[in-house]
mmCIF file of all heavy atoms in Angstrom:
data_model
loop_
_atom_site.group_PDB
_atom_site.id
_atom_site.type_symbol
_atom_site.label_atom_id
_atom_site.label_comp_id
_atom_site.label_asym_id
_atom_site.label_seq_id
_atom_site.Cartn_x
_atom_site.Cartn_y
_atom_site.Cartn_z
ATOM 1 N N ALA A 1015 -10.192 94.135 -48.564
ATOM 2 C CA ALA A 1015 -9.089 93.274 -48.139
ATOM 3 C C ALA A 1015 -8.738 92.240 -49.199
ATOM 4 O O ALA A 1015 -7.554 91.947 -49.419
ATOM 5 C CB ALA A 1015 -9.438 92.593 -46.822
ATOM 6 N N ASP A 1016 -9.730 91.696 -49.897
ATOM 7 C CA ASP A 1016 -9.446 90.652 -50.882
ATOM 8 C C ASP A 1016 -8.777 91.199 -52.146
ATOM 9 O O ASP A 1016 -8.236 90.431 -52.943
ATOM 10 C CB ASP A 1016 -10.711 89.870 -51.231
ATOM 11 C CG ASP A 1016 -11.809 90.737 -51.821
ATOM 12 O OD1 ASP A 1016 -11.815 91.961 -51.569
ATOM 13 O OD2 ASP A 1016 -12.680 90.188 -52.523
ATOM 14 N N GLU A 1017 -8.772 92.508 -52.348
ATOM 15 C CA GLU A 1017 -8.117 93.114 -53.509
ATOM 16 C C GLU A 1017 -6.790 93.795 -53.149
ATOM 17 O O GLU A 1017 -6.025 94.161 -54.030
ATOM 18 C CB GLU A 1017 -9.044 94.153 -54.146
ATOM 19 C CG GLU A 1017 -10.313 93.573 -54.731
ATOM 20 C CD GLU A 1017 -11.251 94.643 -55.253
ATOM 21 O OE1 GLU A 1017 -10.811 95.806 -55.449
ATOM 22 O OE2 GLU A 1017 -12.432 94.321 -55.465
ATOM 23 N N LEU A 1018 -6.546 93.930 -51.855
ATOM 24 C CA LEU A 1018 -5.388 94.700 -51.412
ATOM 25 C C LEU A 1018 -4.064 94.033 -51.788
ATOM 26 O O LEU A 1018 -3.127 94.707 -52.226
ATOM 27 C CB LEU A 1018 -5.470 94.934 -49.904
ATOM 28 C CG LEU A 1018 -4.502 95.946 -49.320
ATOM 29 C CD1 LEU A 1018 -4.627 97.300 -50.004
ATOM 30 C CD2 LEU A 1018 -4.742 96.090 -47.824
ATOM 31 N N ALA A 1019 -3.977 92.726 -51.655
ATOM 32 C CA ALA A 1019 -2.717 92.028 -51.974
ATOM 33 C C ALA A 1019 -2.361 92.210 -53.453
ATOM 34 O O ALA A 1019 -1.194 92.454 -53.788
ATOM 35 C CB ALA A 1019 -2.825 90.552 -51.623
ATOM 36 N N ALA A 1020 -3.343 92.103 -54.326
ATOM 37 C CA ALA A 1020 -3.090 92.275 -55.757
ATOM 38 C C ALA A 1020 -2.650 93.716 -56.055
ATOM 39 O O ALA A 1020 -1.742 93.941 -56.863
ATOM 40 C CB ALA A 1020 -4.324 91.915 -56.565
ATOM 41 N N LEU A 1021 -3.284 94.677 -55.387
ATOM 42 C CA LEU A 1021 -2.913 96.080 -55.581
ATOM 43 C C LEU A 1021 -1.477 96.322 -55.120
ATOM 44 O O LEU A 1021 -0.692 96.972 -55.821
ATOM 45 C CB LEU A 1021 -3.879 97.000 -54.830
ATOM 46 C CG LEU A 1021 -3.565 98.493 -54.874
ATOM 47 C CD1 LEU A 1021 -3.603 99.013 -56.310
ATOM 48 C CD2 LEU A 1021 -4.530 99.263 -53.987
ATOM 49 N N ILE A 1022 -1.114 95.779 -53.972
ATOM 50 C CA ILE A 1022 0.253 95.945 -53.473
ATOM 51 C C ILE A 1022 1.243 95.315 -54.453
ATOM 52 O O ILE A 1022 2.290 95.898 -54.755
ATOM 53 C CB ILE A 1022 0.389 95.354 -52.056
ATOM 54 C CG1 ILE A 1022 -0.353 96.241 -51.055
ATOM 55 C CG2 ILE A 1022 1.855 95.197 -51.656
ATOM 56 C CD1 ILE A 1022 -0.462 95.657 -49.654
ATOM 57 N N GLY A 1023 0.914 94.149 -54.974
ATOM 58 C CA GLY A 1023 1.791 93.503 -55.953
ATOM 59 C C GLY A 1023 1.982 94.345 -57.205
ATOM 60 O O GLY A 1023 3.109 94.480 -57.711
ATOM 61 N N ARG A 1024 0.890 94.924 -57.697
ATOM 62 C CA ARG A 1024 0.995 95.778 -58.892
ATOM 63 C C ARG A 1024 1.800 97.042 -58.602
ATOM 64 O O ARG A 1024 2.620 97.471 -59.421
ATOM 65 C CB ARG A 1024 -0.398 96.143 -59.412
ATOM 66 C CG ARG A 1024 -1.152 94.974 -60.015
ATOM 67 C CD ARG A 1024 -2.388 95.406 -60.781
ATOM 68 N NE ARG A 1024 -3.261 96.322 -60.087
ATOM 69 C CZ ARG A 1024 -4.282 95.974 -59.300
ATOM 70 N NH1 ARG A 1024 -4.552 94.684 -59.097
ATOM 71 N NH2 ARG A 1024 -5.046 96.890 -58.732
ATOM 72 N N LEU A 1025 1.589 97.630 -57.425
ATOM 73 C CA LEU A 1025 2.344 98.833 -57.068
ATOM 74 C C LEU A 1025 3.834 98.529 -56.924
ATOM 75 O O LEU A 1025 4.679 99.327 -57.339
ATOM 76 C CB LEU A 1025 1.784 99.463 -55.787
ATOM 77 C CG LEU A 1025 0.427 100.142 -55.943
ATOM 78 C CD1 LEU A 1025 -0.197 100.431 -54.586
ATOM 79 C CD2 LEU A 1025 0.540 101.421 -56.762
ATOM 80 N N HIS A 1026 4.169 97.385 -56.340
ATOM 81 C CA HIS A 1026 5.577 96.966 -56.277
ATOM 82 C C HIS A 1026 6.151 96.858 -57.688
ATOM 83 O O HIS A 1026 7.266 97.312 -57.953
ATOM 84 C CB HIS A 1026 5.709 95.613 -55.566
ATOM 85 C CG HIS A 1026 5.884 95.697 -54.087
ATOM 86 N ND1 HIS A 1026 6.937 96.335 -53.479
ATOM 87 C CD2 HIS A 1026 5.130 95.190 -53.074
ATOM 88 C CE1 HIS A 1026 6.832 96.223 -52.168
ATOM 89 N NE2 HIS A 1026 5.738 95.536 -51.894
ATOM 90 N N GLU A 1027 5.396 96.254 -58.591
ATOM 91 C CA GLU A 1027 5.860 96.070 -59.972
ATOM 92 C C GLU A 1027 6.015 97.417 -60.683
ATOM 93 O O GLU A 1027 6.999 97.644 -61.385
ATOM 94 C CB GLU A 1027 4.896 95.164 -60.742
ATOM 95 C CG GLU A 1027 5.311 94.873 -62.155
ATOM 96 C CD GLU A 1027 6.613 94.095 -62.286
ATOM 97 O OE1 GLU A 1027 7.070 93.485 -61.300
ATOM 98 O OE2 GLU A 1027 7.192 94.113 -63.384
ATOM 99 N N HIS A 1028 5.049 98.320 -60.510
ATOM 100 C CA HIS A 1028 5.162 99.661 -61.120
ATOM 101 C C HIS A 1028 6.416 100.361 -60.608
ATOM 102 O O HIS A 1028 7.163 100.967 -61.372
ATOM 103 C CB HIS A 1028 3.946 100.527 -60.800
ATOM 104 C CG HIS A 1028 2.644 100.001 -61.295
ATOM 105 N ND1 HIS A 1028 2.500 99.271 -62.451
ATOM 106 C CD2 HIS A 1028 1.396 100.103 -60.764
ATOM 107 C CE1 HIS A 1028 1.223 98.948 -62.617
ATOM 108 N NE2 HIS A 1028 0.537 99.449 -61.607
ATOM 109 N N SER A 1029 6.626 100.275 -59.302
ATOM 110 C CA SER A 1029 7.789 100.916 -58.693
ATOM 111 C C SER A 1029 9.080 100.347 -59.283
ATOM 112 O O SER A 1029 9.991 101.092 -59.662
ATOM 113 C CB SER A 1029 7.742 100.703 -57.177
ATOM 114 O OG SER A 1029 8.931 101.125 -56.577
ATOM 115 N N ARG A 1030 9.161 99.031 -59.388
ATOM 116 C CA ARG A 1030 10.361 98.385 -59.932
ATOM 117 C C ARG A 1030 10.610 98.810 -61.385
ATOM 118 O O ARG A 1030 11.720 99.177 -61.761
ATOM 119 C CB ARG A 1030 10.239 96.868 -59.859
ATOM 120 C CG ARG A 1030 11.509 96.144 -60.347
ATOM 121 C CD ARG A 1030 11.280 94.671 -60.597
ATOM 122 N NE ARG A 1030 10.304 94.391 -61.628
ATOM 123 C CZ ARG A 1030 10.538 94.485 -62.950
ATOM 124 N NH1 ARG A 1030 11.710 94.890 -63.383
ATOM 125 N NH2 ARG A 1030 9.598 94.189 -63.823
ATOM 126 N N ARG A 1031 9.561 98.789 -62.173
ATOM 127 C CA ARG A 1031 9.728 99.132 -63.589
ATOM 128 C C ARG A 1031 10.109 100.601 -63.775
ATOM 129 O O ARG A 1031 10.964 100.929 -64.601
ATOM 130 C CB ARG A 1031 8.458 98.819 -64.366
ATOM 131 C CG ARG A 1031 8.241 97.307 -64.485
ATOM 132 C CD ARG A 1031 7.041 96.989 -65.286
ATOM 133 N NE ARG A 1031 7.494 96.448 -66.565
ATOM 134 C CZ ARG A 1031 6.667 96.008 -67.484
ATOM 135 N NH1 ARG A 1031 5.374 96.065 -67.309
ATOM 136 N NH2 ARG A 1031 7.137 95.506 -68.608
ATOM 137 N N LEU A 1032 9.490 101.481 -63.010
ATOM 138 C CA LEU A 1032 9.829 102.905 -63.123
ATOM 139 C C LEU A 1032 11.266 103.156 -62.660
ATOM 140 O O LEU A 1032 11.988 103.953 -63.277
ATOM 141 C CB LEU A 1032 8.843 103.755 -62.326
ATOM 142 C CG LEU A 1032 7.441 103.840 -62.924
ATOM 143 C CD1 LEU A 1032 6.494 104.543 -61.956
ATOM 144 C CD2 LEU A 1032 7.452 104.551 -64.274
ATOM 145 N N ARG A 1033 11.692 102.475 -61.597
ATOM 146 C CA ARG A 1033 13.089 102.607 -61.151
ATOM 147 C C ARG A 1033 14.034 102.129 -62.245
ATOM 148 O O ARG A 1033 15.049 102.780 -62.520
ATOM 149 C CB ARG A 1033 13.340 101.803 -59.874
ATOM 150 C CG ARG A 1033 12.778 102.475 -58.632
ATOM 151 C CD ARG A 1033 13.064 101.681 -57.378
ATOM 152 N NE ARG A 1033 12.305 100.426 -57.429
ATOM 153 C CZ ARG A 1033 12.764 99.253 -57.017
ATOM 154 N NH1 ARG A 1033 13.969 99.133 -56.532
ATOM 155 N NH2 ARG A 1033 12.006 98.181 -57.086
ATOM 156 N N ASP A 1034 13.701 101.002 -62.874
ATOM 157 C CA ASP A 1034 14.548 100.480 -63.951
ATOM 158 C C ASP A 1034 14.631 101.464 -65.113
ATOM 159 O O ASP A 1034 15.704 101.665 -65.683
ATOM 160 C CB ASP A 1034 14.019 99.135 -64.454
ATOM 161 C CG ASP A 1034 14.232 97.997 -63.471
ATOM 162 O OD1 ASP A 1034 14.941 98.200 -62.453
ATOM 163 O OD2 ASP A 1034 13.669 96.904 -63.696
ATOM 164 N N ILE A 1035 13.522 102.066 -65.465
ATOM 165 C CA ILE A 1035 13.507 103.044 -66.554
ATOM 166 C C ILE A 1035 14.333 104.271 -66.186
ATOM 167 O O ILE A 1035 15.099 104.796 -66.997
ATOM 168 C CB ILE A 1035 12.057 103.444 -66.910
ATOM 169 C CG1 ILE A 1035 11.329 102.260 -67.555
ATOM 170 C CG2 ILE A 1035 12.032 104.675 -67.821
ATOM 171 C CD1 ILE A 1035 9.823 102.455 -67.672
ATOM 172 N N ALA A 1036 14.203 104.716 -64.942
ATOM 173 C CA ALA A 1036 14.880 105.944 -64.506
ATOM 174 C C ALA A 1036 16.400 105.821 -64.541
ATOM 175 O O ALA A 1036 17.091 106.823 -64.745
ATOM 176 C CB ALA A 1036 14.419 106.322 -63.098
ATOM 177 N N VAL A 1037 16.922 104.622 -64.360
ATOM 178 C CA VAL A 1037 18.376 104.452 -64.322
ATOM 179 C C VAL A 1037 18.903 103.698 -65.538
ATOM 180 O O VAL A 1037 20.069 103.309 -65.573
ATOM 181 C CB VAL A 1037 18.820 103.742 -63.018
ATOM 182 C CG1 VAL A 1037 18.437 104.559 -61.800
ATOM 183 C CG2 VAL A 1037 18.262 102.335 -62.935
ATOM 184 N N ALA A 1038 18.079 103.507 -66.547
ATOM 185 C CA ALA A 1038 18.446 102.663 -67.690
ATOM 186 C C ALA A 1038 19.575 103.237 -68.537
ATOM 187 O O ALA A 1038 20.387 102.486 -69.060
ATOM 188 C CB ALA A 1038 17.222 102.407 -68.563
ATOM 189 N N ASP A 1039 19.636 104.535 -68.682
ATOM 190 C CA ASP A 1039 20.634 105.120 -69.576
ATOM 191 C C ASP A 1039 21.708 105.827 -68.756
ATOM 192 O O ASP A 1039 21.458 106.872 -68.160
ATOM 193 C CB ASP A 1039 19.963 106.114 -70.530
ATOM 194 C CG ASP A 1039 20.886 106.553 -71.655
ATOM 195 O OD1 ASP A 1039 22.119 106.373 -71.538
ATOM 196 O OD2 ASP A 1039 20.372 107.072 -72.654
#
């Protein structure tokens, strides 16, 4: 439980960055 919030935050960030890359060009 004490690591879950950080993991969710990183997964949100990975998702955002990959979405940005996918639509960049």
Side-chain angles (χ1 to χ4, degrees):
D1016 60 336
E1017 295 176 16
L1018 192 56
L1021 177 62
I1022 289 172
R1024 291 192 311 270
L1025 288 166
H1026 271 299
E1027 182 64 17
H1028 299 327
S1029 171
R1030 183 194 62 77
R1031 290 182 108 177
L1032 289 172
R1033 284 181 293 141
D1034 288 351
I1035 291 168
V1037 299
D1039 191 342

